Amino acid sequence: MDDWWQEALDAVGVPREWLSPLGPPASPIGRLTVTAARELGLEAGTPVALGSNDQLNGAVGVGNVRPGLASGTVGTAMAIIATLDEVAGPMPDGVIWGRHPVPGLYYLLNYAKTSGVLLTWLRDLLGGGDYEALLAEAAEAPVGCDGLVCLPHFSGTATPTFRSDVRGGFVGLTLAHGRAHLVRAVVEAVCFCARDALALTAAAGCPPTELRMLGGAVQSDSWMQMMADVVRLPLAIPECAEAAVLGGAIYGGVAAGLLESIVSAAERFCRPARQFAPRAEMTAACDAAYAAYRDTMERLYPGALG
């Protein structure tokens, strides 16, 4: 029977009794105690279900429950979850994979450690201001930022190399560059990280046909259009802004017998609010900017992107 890795629990000082049993998400594991119910403002005896991590919760919340779909989060970090029906052979080095919340399916996870947090960092560095205004200004800068490249790995790389020695920065600054260029370079860099992650997904044998996005960045139409242009996939933004919470609610509903299955519930509740298609006229410029990012990374940190 699967259980927690006791040596790891001992290493971080977490008692086993603090943790739930292991099992598939949406499995009922007990009832809410009187003490917990009082603290949460719920009724004692409310069914308790197993869940999953935040990224998988979000994947379920945006309907990423069938092979060929992928979901992406742009928050503090940037993560891409792809769904597949089988793991055929060894996965590429550095790719994270496991069982999907939907029985019989698997997921691939590729991510970058720093993403939307870079925009917060830059905004504060520039003296504060409104995100919407900054992004509107950035949208006026040209693709490729007139040669300015942002390296977004301010906390090192994650998949596929997990290198802590890599640092972020701006390369190619000139006196002609201004605030709009800096902001756009950050936004483009996040899109480039998504393209890197999707390339790893494709190398693992499951190129997605659609990307469903969540996280703070989805509030910006210009950012999401840029993302579609860079990754060359249609994007869907769900009506429910709290997709990870919705995923957890679906698990609870299935465990309580109120919902038939994770798949049927996810597809019932996930409704696209906005959609973005890649623009053919932007392909060449986006490819050139992405190539400049990859080339700069390789020159400064050979092999860091895999």
Side-chain angles (χ1 to χ4, degrees):
M1 180 179 179
D2 291 340
D3 204 348
W4 295 94
W5 182 13
Q6 189 60 52
E7 291 84 352
L9 299 182
D10 293 341
V12 297
V14 174
R16 172 66 184 82
E17 57 267 23
W18 287 6
L19 303 174
S20 70
L22 293 181
S27 299
I29 58 170
R31 301 275 176 172
L32 205 61
T33 66
V34 172
T35 301
R38 186 181 303 116
E39 292 181 359
L40 295 171
L42 299 172
E43 291 187 13
T46 298
V48 176
L50 283 177
S52 58
N53 72 15
D54 56 346
Q55 296 300 333
L56 290 171
N57 267 37
V60 169
V62 297
N64 181 10
V65 292
R66 294 189 185 277
L69 294 176
S71 50
T73 303
V74 178
T76 298
M78 191 287 305
I80 299 289
I81 293 275
T83 299
L84 62 160
D85 54 10
E86 63 177 347
V87 177
M91 288 288 104
D93 289 342
V95 171
I96 300 169
W97 64 278
R99 294 175 183 173
H100 196 284
V102 175
L105 297 182
Y106 295 85
Y107 74 86
L108 297 181
L109 166 63
N110 292 295
Y111 72 102
K113 290 182 179 180
T114 47
S115 173
V117 69
L118 298 182
L119 186 59
T120 300
W121 168 82
L122 183 59
R123 181 202 63 172
D124 294 345
L125 193 68
L126 295 174
D130 179 74
Y131 287 115
E132 187 175 346
L134 278 176
L135 289 168
E137 189 176 349
E140 298 301 316
V143 176
C145 305
D146 290 325
L148 178 62
V149 175
C150 172
L151 306 184
H153 307 288
F154 282 41
S155 295
T157 60
T159 52
T161 57
F162 297 94
R163 282 180 50 177
S164 60
D165 64 306
V166 174
R167 293 291 178 265
F170 292 89
V171 178
L173 276 166
T174 71
L175 294 175
H177 289 117
R179 181 171 62 180
H181 292 92
L182 289 167
V183 176
R184 185 180 180 99
V186 165
V187 172
E188 286 186 354
V190 172
C191 298
F192 298 155
C193 286
R195 182 159 168 172
D196 285 339
L198 288 163
L200 287 171
T201 300
C206 54
T209 57
E210 180 185 337
L211 184 59
R212 300 181 178 184
M213 296 297 299
L214 57 150
V218 304
Q219 297 175 55
S220 168
D221 284 355
S222 63
W223 199 339
M224 291 301 97
Q225 183 60 65
M226 192 185 307
M227 180 73 76
D229 292 339
V230 169
V231 303
R232 297 198 201 178
L233 285 176
L235 303 189
I237 311 300
E239 190 176 79
C240 177
E242 300 296 339
V245 177
L246 175 57
I250 288 171
Y251 298 151
V254 172
L258 301 174
L259 299 172
E260 181 180 354
S261 70
I262 293 174
V263 171
S264 63
E267 293 182 337
R268 172 185 171 189
F269 293 129
C270 178
R271 305 180 184 94
R274 287 136 54 219
Q275 296 177 307
F276 300 87
R279 298 171 294 183
E281 66 271 21
M282 303 302 295
T283 297
C286 289
D287 285 354
Y290 177 63
Y293 155 74
R294 296 278 305 190
D295 180 66
T296 303
M297 280 293 299
E298 185 61 24
R299 287 171 181 269
L300 292 175
Y301 297 106
L305 296 180

